[in-house]
Amino acid sequence: MDTGSGKTLVAVMLIKEMMERELQAQRSSADRKICFFIVNNVPLVEQQASVIRANSEAEVLQFSGASNTNKFSQELWDGVYERANAVVCTAQILLDLLRHGYVRMNKIHLLIFDECHHARKDHPFCSIMKEFYHDAPLNERPKVFGMTASPSMEIGSRLYHSAKELEDILNCKVFTADPEQMKAFVERPKEIIVQYNPSPEYTSSTTTLTLVLQKQCSMIPKLEQEFSSQAHNIQHLGPWCVNRLWQLYVEKLADGGNLTHVGPEVKLAQGIIRSSNIPSPVCTESYLSPKVMKLIQLLRVAGHGLKDDFCGIIFVQRRDTAMALCMLIQEFEEFQDLFRAQVLTGHSDGNERVLRMSFRDQTEIISNFRKKVYNLLIATSVAEEGLDIQPCNFVVRFDPPTTVISYIQSRGRARKKDSRYIMMHELDNRQEDAMFEKIKYTESTMREWCTSLDDERIIRNALDIDDDSSQEKLTPLQIYRVPSTNAVLTLDSAVALIHYYCSTLAGDEYTSLRPHFNIIPNGNSGFVCDLTLPPNAPLRVIQSDYTSTKNMARKSAAFKACEKLHSLGALTDNLLPLMSGAAQKEDTEETIAVDVKDKNRSYPMATPEFWSRMPFSEEMPVQLYGCVVELTEDDLLRLGGKHRFRAICLLTHRPIPCQVAPFRLYIEGAPRTVTLKNCPTPGLMKKHRLERLRGFMLNLFHRMCRKKFECELVDIPYFIAPLTKHFDMNQAIDTLIAWDDIDQGQMDPSPFPDNSRDEETLLNCVATLKSDKGRDFFIKKVVREYRLDDPLPPHLITAKDITSWDQDITSGKALPLSNGRTFEAYFKWKYHADCPKDDVLLSVERVRKMRNHLQQAIREEDKREDEVTMVIPLSACMEFPIRADVSRMAHLIPSVLYSLNSTLLVQEVRVRVGLMETRLDLLQEAFTSTSANRDYQYERLELLGDSFLKFSSTIRLYIVNPSKDEGQLHGHRIRIISNSALLKHAKGLELYKFINTTPFHRNSWRPIRFKVDGKDWKETQTHNLSNKMLADIIEASLGAAFLSGGAKNGLHAAKALGIPFDEFSSWGDFHRVYMESKAARDREEDRSRPSLNYTQVDHLRKLEKVLGYKFKDPLLFVEAMTHASHIRNDSVCYQRLEFLGDAVLDFQVIRYYYEKYHDAPPGAITLIKDASVNNAVLGAISITWGLHKFLNHYSPALVGAIARTVVLIEDKRDSSPNKTLENEYWSDIMMPKVLGDLVESVLGAVFVDSGFDVDIVTDLFMRLIRPFLDKHVGFNSIVLHPNKVLIERLQANGCTSFGFETEECTTSASSTMFRRLGLGRPQQQQQQQQSSDGNTITKCHFKIHGQIMATSSGEHLEEVRKEVALATLTKLNEDPELFTNLCVCPKRRGARHLSVLERYRQETNAQ
């Protein structure tokens, strides 16, 4: 049936009928089936799906290669079968789904093939039928409906054979409609043949501009095809079109018009084009060919005749022809008001990158043609078939059709009433005339054949078909089936699958990841094919069986390769490459399915088991163990002497189970060191002594905290007791306690005795005001320089006191000042004291409530109290029963107990998990969060541990997965080291119980099991933790383990924490397992070790000299130097070694900077690490070592890229005043990634060759890489990424409302294409932007408090974000007030105003 005669309507009617039958079948509980509507190209998917939706109630889903949907998901297809009635997709999609077992024939009730004449040879239409339909049982086959304007693409007598073949393949019969009846429904155009004169012989068959470009720019690879096509274009189109095409090619030569990073050759070509003057087109032979001039005449007549009703298509064969004619019509002055022209071309891959058109481009152009935004399309064959293009009244075949289908379908576009279909023929061109006659004859024959069919439309007297390719299509298939999924591999699908597999391998722009088929004739035995896969595939070479044809040999080799890849695990059970979406759901122990959203959750906190209750009997004495808490002698001297702080003993029911490292407390404004030492001899305490200890401690805590403490004797976990001033730790603990102080400490305050006026005695007393017994004071000295009747110096009274005193005098609450503000009058008003004449004046400091000594005083009131000097009279005071040296030390005890609790918890987890070789102090740091407000926290250790985890896990994966490529190894590693995996381990070990997250606070501190102010102790304590923190604790623990015992202890800790290292019990097992696995592979594949050629030996010796290391296995050197483009079958590419070396280098750099910058925050270390380990700096190191000279590859482009890099570096050296390379000289050089990869692959090779010896690679790093980094990379010279600079700047200024926002570009697809192709936009299109059909480019904004600061768009998100960040920074720098006016975030006290890097730079410079 002709185009536009209703074939799709028949298909919709069939779908509706099958839906009805399916509903009936569902009533009998039959399995649900659906319809598949199969099209030949992507644009038809959307079009036909829309038609079905518009004409039925069917639930229609659509799939194509242009969509982002992951089609290989069983969950997806289970959902499709549940809710869909019909699926519209390309043929290749359905074929892939059938081959990989996601769709089966017995689940389909109707197959509809659009443009079914394509079902021939190796087309997916044919493969679907041959591989799956004909192989299915008769009762499981769906019904089949094919639609076409002609059953054959052949010309001449082959029509009958093609029709019969189509019927056999589709298992159908050809039906047609009555031609006479069709005339009433389908308009046929008037066909006209227009002849034009042959082209003249243009001078030198080229143009002057072409000659100049050929002379100066012929070396540009991207222009090679354009140079070869210019001879054709000048004869068929004329000089003006050729020159205009050159302008288009050169201006758009760089990617999408981005000429920022183009070479000098392109810039030269661009300059030539800009200097040339291309005039406006004129309809003469000096500008245009006779053929184009004739087209201009036709358009002139049609345009003026039809005016606003004009709607036309010009069909051409080539894309460059379409572009040239479109530009000509747009720039032809006479046509400005007549035609709104646009091109419509295909999207297939090829060298004409500038002229390719995306599926969205096509869809939007067709839509705009329908809306009359355009009224003229210049189209290639893409507009002939299938696409829903509105009927036209003017269709021109500028280039003649080559098939009868092309002729029929292009003619079918002229379906308006009184339309014209014009064929342009060259005068006296017998070849064109003969071709046209054949096409007309074939069409006539086809119609006669269709009308000759009998009433049942069955072909009579069908001819036997003896075409070899046709017979091959229906022969029994060689099939490899995976039972678990029912996925199928056939000879026909194997070649495509092997190509697909190779395309998923890791590569770069210099790599062609394609299989290589080498077909070798073998006399009478036929052909055999050697298939070579890329060097990074686990299988390199495989040979086919002997076959009778070259094609079958190729298929046989691919089939065997796919079988082997599946057995190696490189293909999943769905016969998909491992790294595809299906493989990601692989159910292994390393796959973690955990919610990893970083949100806080409540977890229980553990109380140290050390404090648990002990059996207690009132009749039996209790054994207590002592732990002496004291300051170091040096710190005691700095604090004024040993007499100021008395040692205190912590008495516990068990000996402290670990050696507690000295820790820091802040005392009197400076850090001091506190030690805890276990007494070797315990002591027995009877009940009466325990009661004395209990009473002393309760009174002490009450006085320190101003709260009432209660606890039964049986519940008390520890006692606090002052020691004698001169104690011997080797004696029993009960003899060391100052029992007199214990008994006195339980009394109430009392008047000072008469003998206490001695200054030495007073200095160790605590004074309490008689008028306010809650206010205590340490006595600093006796004031002898003042008397009671002396005026009060200003520095001894505050302005606040003066104001209050004056107010009391005015109100009569205080006596008038008869002698002025004297000490006596002040004491009378302030303390209500009647002071005797011989009263002693005391300089005192207030005994404050318990405070946090674990960090420096940050509260302003604490600082002020430290600075205030007070004088009080002795007569206004009473003596507090606890001595000053005991009280001072006792005020430290809550902070000591807080730290001890944390230590005990970490000791418990240390024993529980098995981390006894890890230092306790480092592990305590690893289990302390930032919120705990300690001098240390886990983040630095987490950074080191994260790198060690990556390092050690990479070694394991490299060894146990010898057949997996870099991409697959990377995927496995992510699942091992991801936060979700670590979170699972942390939860399994219940690490959340032992993390210190709660800061010490004097208002909330309470001893374990004590009742405070009537409130009971809560046995169950909780704290909020984020998932990320739990994962980070695992990494921090690994960092602590490595610092405690090196890589061996780090591996032991990793195993203890649940990281999968089942195959390895010690570090030495890495080398043992690797060698055993390597030997087993060599035996299995029966391969001998190849020897190095002379060049390789020479290169090896030179590299060994550079590295200062001699390889035991030279083949590791060869592998490290082999790029993926190297296609020799005896080579393995460096990607696996690079994967290993990347982890080695990352760990070495992190370890080095961790130790070098021991006080740097983790953010600063990350910054300098990023500046030290990136492609640019590694490329610079590679050039320095000369690794590029040893590289094995087959990429011409890589040769030029490396050469340009070396020249740029040499230019920088030559232009430097000192002829040296300084700082980050590589920052503006586009380094080929290959150069950086070589450094990592060499490190990986040395690491493997040394038996995975960490010391060897550490030595290499320290000798070769560290000096380079020290010379060129430092905190003062780091070049930060604009994104990081912007975000840190805003964070440092306290802003929290900002961020990048991305969206699909609101520019319509055709406008994007206009810019890419260099065409102008018609006025109507400027007013009609259709974002829903937009091209796949990303628009990015940066917003601060909702206001857009900058916007950019492009295909690469990273580049777009960089541009936006730079623009935002420029805007903020130009207008400093802008941020102040925008940001309304509350500026918290102590908020950061400097970035991590800036703060660290300042701190470093200050030191």
Side-chain angles (χ1 to χ4, degrees):
M1 295 170 65
D2 283 349
T3 301
S5 59
K7 298 186 293 293
T8 305
L9 178 59
V10 176
V12 172
M13 294 170 65
L14 274 174
I15 292 172
K16 293 165 73 173
E17 173 64 23
M18 294 306 297
M19 285 172 58
E20 180 63 29
R21 296 188 184 186
E22 178 64 20
L23 287 174
Q24 295 177 5
Q26 287 296 300
R27 297 191 183 107
S28 60
S29 301
D31 289 340
R32 196 170 189 276
K33 298 182 180 182
I34 60 176
C35 164
F36 274 83
F37 193 117
I38 315 303
V39 298
N40 185 46
N41 53 50
V42 173
L44 290 173
V45 174
E46 173 68 32
Q47 174 183 305
Q48 300 294 40
S50 299
V51 171
I52 299 172
R53 291 190 188 103
N55 292 277
S56 72
E57 296 179 350
E59 180 68 28
V60 183
L61 299 180
Q62 59 194 65
F63 298 94
S64 70
S67 64
N68 295 324
T69 307
N70 175 17
K71 291 165 278 291
F72 298 129
S73 163
Q74 192 59 55
E75 182 181 356
L76 168 68
W77 285 99
D78 289 343
V80 169
Y81 278 111
E82 285 180 7
R83 69 178 188 274
N85 303 114
V87 172
V88 182
C89 63
T90 56
Q92 189 62 53
I93 293 292
L94 178 58
L95 181 58
D96 290 341
L97 292 169
L98 288 165
R99 283 174 172 172
H100 296 299
Y102 294 104
V103 173
R104 302 185 184 185
M105 275 292 167
N106 61 2
K107 300 282 283 184
I108 305 172
H109 58 58
L110 175 62
L111 272 176
I112 298 176
F113 292 95
D114 192 15
E115 308 295 348
C116 65
H117 54 268
H118 290 291
R120 53 201 299 272
K121 297 184 179 179
D122 292 328
H123 192 278
F125 282 179
C126 188
S127 298
I128 289 169
M129 297 301 294
K130 181 180 65 174
E131 295 179 19
F132 298 97
Y133 181 89
H134 291 289
D135 190 49
L138 291 176
N139 63 339
E140 294 183 2
R141 294 180 182 179
K143 297 184 181 300
V144 179
F145 176 62
M147 304 183 293
T148 181
S150 169
S152 173
M153 298 180 69
E154 305 286 351
I155 295 178
S157 60
R158 286 288 306 165
L159 167 68
Y160 300 103
H161 298 268
S162 298
K164 174 57 179 173
E165 181 182 347
L166 187 64
E167 287 189 325
D168 290 341
I169 291 171
L170 296 182
N171 195 32
C172 292
K173 297 301 178 182
V174 175
F175 282 71
T176 188
D178 188 333
E180 294 301 320
Q181 294 180 359
M182 290 300 298
K183 290 180 181 180
F185 301 97
V186 180
E187 292 287 345
R188 295 288 293 271
K190 181 177 182 180
E191 295 188 48
I192 303 171
I193 295 178
V194 172
Q195 294 186 322
Y196 58 89
N197 293 323
S199 294
E201 291 296 328
Y202 289 102
T203 306
S204 301
S205 297
T206 187
T207 67
T208 303
L209 178 58
T210 303
L211 290 173
V212 174
L213 289 170
Q214 281 179 330
K215 184 177 181 180
Q216 300 187 44
C217 305
S218 59
M219 77 295 294
I220 301 177
K222 290 185 179 180
L223 292 181
E224 182 178 349
Q225 182 173 349
E226 282 68 31
F227 280 118
S228 63
S229 65
Q230 67 86 28
H232 171 273
N233 288 338
I234 197 168
Q235 293 301 320
H236 287 262
L237 303 175
W240 187 92
C241 292
V242 170
N243 290 342
R244 188 64 181 83
L245 283 172
W246 278 125
Q247 188 178 34
L248 171 67
Y249 293 145
V250 173
E251 288 180 355
K252 305 302 174 183
L253 188 59
D255 186 18
N258 179 11
L259 294 170
T260 306
H261 303 294
V262 298
E265 303 93 343
V266 176
K267 291 182 178 178
L268 175 61
Q270 194 178 18
I272 293 171
I273 291 298
R274 288 174 179 171
S275 62
S276 63
N277 181 23
I278 301 177
S280 299
V282 181
C283 195
T284 64
E285 284 193 358
S286 60
Y287 281 72
L288 306 173
S289 69
K291 185 176 184 180
V292 175
M293 291 171 60
K294 181 63 69 173
L295 177 64
I296 294 294
Q297 294 175 12
L298 293 172
L299 288 172
R300 183 181 290 129
V301 172
H304 288 293
L306 296 171
K307 296 183 179 179
D308 292 342
D309 292 332
F310 179 89
C311 182
I313 301 178
I314 301 171
F315 282 101
V316 299
Q317 289 181 353
R318 299 161 57 106
R319 296 176 189 172
D320 52 2
T321 302
M323 290 302 310
L325 293 179
C326 185
M327 291 185 291
L328 170 65
I329 294 168
Q330 287 180 344
E331 297 179 30
F332 204 75
E333 185 175 356
E334 183 182 347
F335 293 163
Q336 294 297 306
D337 297 328
L338 290 177
F339 304 117
R340 301 179 296 279
Q342 184 54 276
V343 294
L344 180 63
T345 62
H347 57 268
S348 59
D349 294 334
N351 295 327
E352 297 177 287
R353 189 162 180 257
V354 173
L355 307 183
R356 281 160 53 189
M357 182 173 290
S358 72
F359 298 118
R360 292 189 176 184
D361 291 339
Q362 293 176 352
T363 302
E364 184 172 347
I365 288 170
I366 292 169
S367 174
N368 287 332
F369 186 58
R370 191 180 303 114
K371 297 174 183 177
K372 296 189 178 181
V373 174
Y374 311 124
N375 62 359
L376 177 61
L377 296 181
I378 300 92
T380 57
S381 59
V382 70
E384 294 175 356
E385 178 180 283
L387 295 177
D388 184 18
I389 298 176
Q390 74 165 7
C392 302
N393 52 20
F394 182 78
V395 175
V396 177
R397 286 288 333 190
F398 184 78
D399 293 321
T402 56
T403 66
V404 66
I405 284 287
S406 176
Y407 167 68
I408 294 173
Q409 291 184 329
S410 62
R411 185 184 63 191
R413 296 304 178 191
R415 298 199 305 275
K416 272 194 172 183
K417 189 175 182 180
D418 298 326
S419 58
R420 300 292 186 269
Y421 179 69
I422 301 172
M423 302 269 291
M424 297 186 66
H425 282 197
E426 186 180 36
L427 189 64
D428 297 330
N429 188 324
R430 296 183 179 179
Q431 184 177 358
E432 285 188 5
D433 292 342
M435 175 62 72
F436 182 61
E437 289 298 327
K438 266 191 175 181
I439 288 174
K440 294 295 291 182
Y441 170 76
T442 302
E443 182 193 21
S444 175
T445 304
M446 179 190 68
R447 293 193 180 282
E448 291 177 2
W449 174 74
C450 288
T451 54
S452 67
L453 298 172
D454 59 18
D455 293 340
E456 296 181 357
R457 301 304 189 210
I458 299 176
I459 300 177
R460 299 184 182 279
N461 302 321
L463 299 175
D464 293 332
I465 302 174
D466 57 1
D467 184 273
D468 291 340
S469 63
S470 298
Q471 290 176 348
E472 183 180 303
K473 289 179 186 293
L474 299 179
T475 55
L477 294 173
Q478 184 175 349
I479 291 179
Y480 175 76
R481 191 182 302 273
V482 182
S484 62
T485 63
N486 206 40
V488 172
L489 174 72
T490 68
L491 286 172
D492 285 342
S493 67
V495 175
L497 180 56
I498 209 69
H499 274 278
Y500 178 39
Y501 168 76
C502 291
S503 72
T504 65
L505 296 173
D508 53 35
E509 65 266 36
Y510 307 109
T511 308
S512 177
L513 293 172
R514 290 184 297 215
H516 292 268
F517 296 90
N518 182 28
I519 300 175
I520 306 166
N522 190 37
N524 296 330
S525 299
F527 300 90
V528 67
C529 176
D530 286 336
L531 169 59
T532 304
L533 299 184
N536 51 348
L539 177 68
R540 288 307 317 281
V541 181
I542 197 160
Q543 192 174 73
S544 72
D545 298 327
Y546 286 100
T547 65
S548 59
T549 66
K550 294 180 181 180
N551 192 35
M552 286 301 297
R554 183 182 293 107
K555 292 179 179 180
S556 173
F559 188 90
K560 294 174 72 175
C562 291
E563 279 187 299
K564 183 66 174 176
L565 288 171
H566 180 243
S567 68
L568 292 173
L571 294 177
T572 69
D573 284 348
N574 287 107
L575 296 180
L576 290 168
L578 186 60
M579 288 306 294
S580 68
Q584 297 299 330
K585 297 185 179 180
E586 189 179 26
D587 184 18
T588 68
E589 65 175 0
E590 299 165 352
T591 303
I592 311 297
V594 185
D595 178 15
V596 293
K597 291 183 179 178
D598 192 21
K599 53 188 178 183
N600 287 346
R601 293 182 179 178
S602 180
Y603 291 94
M605 294 170 58
T607 299
E609 289 290 332
F610 180 78
W611 302 127
S612 60
R613 293 179 177 86
M614 293 285 287
F616 182 80
S617 172
E618 295 187 357
E619 292 78 19
M620 298 294 293
V622 175
Q623 183 167 272
L624 296 179
Y625 297 84
C627 180
V628 177
V629 182
E630 59 183 342
L631 296 166
T632 63
E633 289 190 12
D634 290 341
D635 281 329
L636 285 173
L637 292 175
R638 294 187 187 100
L639 289 166
K642 296 182 179 180
H643 65 279
R644 298 190 69 233
F645 290 85
R646 179 102 62 93
I648 283 184
C649 187
L650 180 67
L651 299 168
T652 61
H653 295 286
R654 304 174 178 85
I656 292 179
C658 54
Q659 184 67 39
V660 180
F663 56 92
R664 182 186 301 170
L665 292 183
Y666 289 89
I667 305 171
E668 296 183 1
R672 313 296 180 188
T673 301
V674 176
T675 62
L676 275 70
K677 298 176 183 177
N678 285 334
C679 296
T681 307
L684 292 174
M685 303 283 183
K686 293 184 178 180
K687 182 181 179 183
H688 72 279
R689 282 194 165 183
L690 295 177
E691 289 287 4
R692 291 161 69 188
L693 290 170
R694 171 175 172 270
F696 172 80
M697 185 168 61
L698 292 177
N699 193 35
L700 178 67
F701 285 166
H702 166 67
R703 203 67 185 178
M704 287 194 306
C705 303
R706 311 293 196 267
K707 296 178 181 179
K708 183 181 179 182
F709 287 80
E710 301 173 76
C711 191
E712 296 297 328
L713 191 61
V714 68
D715 290 328
I716 292 181
Y718 51 76
F719 299 93
I720 293 170
L723 299 181
T724 59
K725 293 186 178 181
H726 307 285
F727 62 89
D728 182 359
M729 287 186 62
N730 293 319
Q731 297 179 6
I733 189 63
D734 56 320
T735 65
L736 307 182
I737 296 173
W739 290 104
D740 291 343
D741 288 296
I742 293 292
D743 294 335
Q744 184 178 337
Q746 301 178 61
M747 299 178 182
D748 294 327
S750 60
F752 278 96
D754 293 337
N755 62 358
S756 64
R757 291 174 180 266
D758 175 64
E759 183 168 356
E760 184 178 349
T761 303
L762 284 173
L763 292 181
N764 198 31
C765 292
V766 177
T768 299
L769 290 175
K770 294 178 180 178
S771 59
D772 183 0
K773 294 181 181 180
R775 298 181 70 185
D776 302 332
F777 299 91
F778 291 125
I779 301 173
K780 299 169 67 175
K781 68 175 183 177
V782 175
V783 179
R784 304 186 187 278
E785 59 267 30
Y786 298 114
R787 293 180 303 178
L788 287 174
D789 56 357
D790 287 341
L792 190 67
H795 70 278
L796 293 180
I797 185 169
T798 65
K800 182 179 179 181
D801 272 356
I802 293 175
T803 302
S804 298
W805 195 358
D806 288 343
Q807 289 175 351
D808 287 350
I809 293 173
T810 302
S811 63
K813 295 180 180 179
L815 296 174
L817 300 175
S818 57
N819 296 319
R821 298 184 193 274
T822 62
F823 280 97
E824 185 177 15
Y826 177 66
F827 294 153
K828 179 68 175 175
W829 168 75
K830 183 75 174 178
Y831 304 116
H832 307 290
D834 294 319
C835 301
K837 295 298 182 181
D838 61 345
D839 209 347
V840 177
L841 301 186
L842 305 175
S843 176
V844 298
E845 61 176 331
R846 178 150 183 203
V847 179
R848 293 182 300 276
K849 288 195 301 183
M850 178 191 67
R851 62 185 288 183
N852 180 9
H853 291 277
L854 294 165
Q855 60 182 151
Q856 284 183 303
I858 58 174
R859 299 171 68 241
E860 292 298 326
E861 54 267 34
D862 289 342
K863 293 180 180 178
R864 287 195 297 271
E865 289 178 4
D866 288 341
E867 298 168 358
V868 171
T869 299
M870 297 177 63
V871 175
I872 59 176
L874 181 63
S875 61
C877 301
M878 300 181 73
E879 183 182 6
F880 186 71
I882 298 177
R883 297 295 177 187
D885 57 349
V886 175
S887 181
R888 286 192 187 94
M889 197 68 189
H891 272 76
L892 306 180
I893 292 301
S895 297
V896 170
L897 289 171
Y898 172 89
S899 183
L900 179 60
N901 271 345
S902 173
T903 303
L904 292 172
L905 281 175
V906 173
Q907 173 64 13
E908 286 183 21
V909 78
R910 186 178 178 218
V911 174
R912 178 176 178 175
V913 176
L915 302 176
M916 294 304 295
E917 300 301 318
T918 301
R919 281 170 42 190
L920 181 60
D921 58 329
L922 288 174
L923 201 59
Q924 186 168 350
E925 181 179 337
F927 274 75
T928 302
S929 74
T930 309
S931 61
N933 290 338
R934 297 299 302 270
D935 286 342
Y936 51 81
Q937 39 90 7
Y938 69 76
E939 288 184 351
R940 274 177 54 88
L941 285 174
E942 181 258 328
L943 181 67
L944 179 64
D946 171 77
S947 185
F948 178 78
L949 176 60
K950 174 185 174 182
F951 171 54
S952 55
S953 298
T954 300
I955 301 171
R956 180 222 167 202
L957 290 171
Y958 176 84
I959 293 172
V960 302
N961 297 289
S963 63
K964 287 184 168 55
D965 62 35
E966 177 193 13
Q968 295 164 346
L969 292 174
H970 179 71
H972 280 294
R973 185 173 68 189
I974 287 175
R975 293 195 288 274
I976 293 174
I977 70 176
S978 66
N979 283 345
S980 58
L982 301 182
L983 174 64
K984 181 179 181 181
H985 301 319
K987 285 185 174 180
L989 295 169
E990 297 183 328
L991 300 186
Y992 46 80
K993 292 182 177 180
F994 308 97
I995 302 172
N996 183 11
T997 61
T998 307
F1000 179 91
H1001 197 282
R1002 66 186 184 185
N1003 291 332
S1004 59
W1005 178 81
R1006 62 169 56 193
I1008 294 172
R1009 293 195 292 276
F1010 275 58
K1011 181 186 291 187
V1012 180
D1013 287 342
K1015 295 180 180 178
D1016 291 331
W1017 163 264
K1018 292 183 178 179
E1019 290 291 341
T1020 303
Q1021 306 284 333
T1022 62
H1023 56 169
N1024 290 330
L1025 303 174
S1026 69
N1027 289 337
K1028 184 179 185 303
M1029 182 185 293
L1030 284 170
D1032 288 348
I1033 295 299
I1034 293 278
E1035 294 173 332
S1037 301
L1038 291 176
F1042 174 78
L1043 292 178
S1044 302
K1048 295 179 180 179
N1049 189 53
L1051 176 63
H1052 170 77
K1055 290 172 64 67
L1057 290 167
I1059 312 300
F1061 282 97
D1062 299 339
E1063 307 87 347
F1064 310 96
S1065 58
S1066 67
W1067 195 270
D1069 286 344
F1070 284 140
H1071 181 59
R1072 177 185 60 79
V1073 174
Y1074 170 76
M1075 295 304 294
E1076 291 174 355
S1077 173
K1078 187 171 181 293
R1081 293 197 309 275
D1082 289 344
R1083 287 194 302 270
E1084 179 184 347
E1085 299 177 15
D1086 192 23
R1087 61 186 181 190
S1088 59
R1089 293 176 58 80
S1091 58
L1092 273 63
N1093 59 38
Y1094 176 82
T1095 302
Q1096 290 173 328
V1097 171
D1098 180 60
H1099 288 173
L1100 173 62
R1101 297 291 173 257
K1102 290 178 179 177
L1103 180 61
E1104 288 177 337
K1105 186 175 180 180
V1106 171
L1107 300 178
Y1109 176 84
K1110 187 173 181 62
F1111 279 92
K1112 304 179 188 68
D1113 183 359
L1115 291 181
L1116 284 169
F1117 155 75
V1118 177
E1119 181 179 343
M1121 292 294 110
T1122 301
H1123 186 251
S1125 63
H1126 196 267
I1127 59 175
R1128 286 182 52 182
N1129 57 21
D1130 61 347
S1131 62
V1132 178
C1133 87
Y1134 63 59
Q1135 288 177 354
R1136 280 174 51 84
L1137 285 176
E1138 177 220 336
F1139 173 75
L1140 177 62
D1142 168 76
V1144 171
L1145 180 60
D1146 181 89
F1147 177 65
Q1148 290 294 334
V1149 172
I1150 287 289
R1151 176 186 179 185
Y1152 172 59
Y1153 285 136
Y1154 181 93
E1155 295 170 353
K1156 180 179 180 180
Y1157 302 109
H1158 56 85
D1159 58 345
I1165 295 178
T1166 300
L1167 286 176
I1168 198 167
K1169 190 272 290 188
D1170 291 343
S1172 303
V1173 183
N1174 56 58
N1175 185 61
V1177 67
L1178 295 183
I1181 293 174
S1182 183
I1183 296 293
T1184 303
W1185 292 0
L1187 297 183
H1188 59 289
K1189 300 174 183 177
F1190 312 139
L1191 179 62
N1192 302 316
H1193 69 93
Y1194 283 173
S1195 172
L1198 184 54
V1199 173
I1202 293 176
R1204 284 191 292 273
T1205 301
V1206 173
V1207 169
L1208 287 172
I1209 292 176
E1210 289 302 319
D1211 288 346
K1212 280 185 173 288
R1213 188 194 308 274
D1214 294 341
S1215 61
S1216 170
N1218 301 323
K1219 304 299 180 184
T1220 58
L1221 296 169
E1222 299 177 349
N1223 296 330
E1224 298 185 31
Y1225 63 86
W1226 53 80
S1227 60
D1228 58 348
I1229 298 176
M1230 299 292 291
M1231 293 277 185
K1233 183 178 180 297
V1234 175
L1235 294 175
D1237 291 347
L1238 288 177
V1239 175
E1240 294 173 334
S1241 66
V1242 165
L1243 284 175
V1246 171
F1247 189 50
V1248 175
D1249 190 71
S1250 67
F1252 303 94
D1253 191 328
V1254 179
D1255 292 337
I1256 294 292
V1257 290
T1258 300
D1259 174 69
L1260 189 150
F1261 172 81
M1262 298 300 284
R1263 286 187 295 104
L1264 298 180
I1265 299 178
R1266 185 198 67 176
F1268 185 92
L1269 298 180
D1270 286 346
K1271 178 180 178 182
H1272 294 287
V1273 182
F1275 279 114
N1276 292 325
S1277 61
I1278 290 178
V1279 180
L1280 294 179
H1281 195 284
N1283 297 12
K1284 187 177 288 290
V1285 173
L1286 176 59
I1287 291 172
E1288 284 211 347
R1289 176 172 172 177
L1290 295 174
Q1291 288 176 336
N1293 283 281
C1295 186
T1296 59
S1297 180
F1298 62 84
F1300 292 98
E1301 290 187 4
T1302 58
E1303 60 183 65
E1304 282 197 357
C1305 185
T1306 55
T1307 304
S1308 62
S1310 62
S1311 65
T1312 304
M1313 184 201 61
F1314 279 128
R1315 292 196 303 273
R1316 188 171 72 244
L1317 301 183
L1319 301 180
R1321 290 169 58 92
Q1323 184 176 1
Q1324 291 88 337
Q1325 178 64 13
Q1326 292 177 11
Q1327 300 170 359
Q1328 297 181 21
Q1329 299 216 353
Q1330 300 172 23
S1331 59
S1332 61
D1333 297 325
N1335 202 0
T1336 53
I1337 57 177
T1338 302
K1339 175 177 281 187
C1340 179
H1341 315 285
F1342 191 84
K1343 292 183 177 180
I1344 300 178
H1345 286 278
Q1347 180 166 327
I1348 295 177
M1349 303 298 296
T1351 301
S1352 184
S1353 60
E1355 295 180 3
H1356 304 292
L1357 180 59
E1358 286 302 316
E1359 287 298 320
V1360 172
R1361 282 190 168 184
K1362 183 177 179 180
E1363 293 174 6
V1364 170
L1366 284 170
T1368 303
L1369 286 168
T1370 301
K1371 202 168 185 178
L1372 293 175
N1373 291 334
E1374 291 174 350
D1375 185 1
E1377 297 298 322
L1378 178 61
F1379 175 76
T1380 305
N1381 296 332
L1382 281 176
C1383 184
V1384 295
C1385 294
K1387 301 301 184 287
R1388 299 181 304 276
R1389 185 173 61 194
R1392 298 181 302 164
H1393 295 287
L1394 296 172
S1395 69
V1396 170
L1397 181 60
E1398 289 171 332
R1399 289 204 318 278
Y1400 186 70
R1401 282 173 174 168
Q1402 291 190 5
E1403 292 169 2
T1404 305
N1405 293 334
Q1407 295 171 2

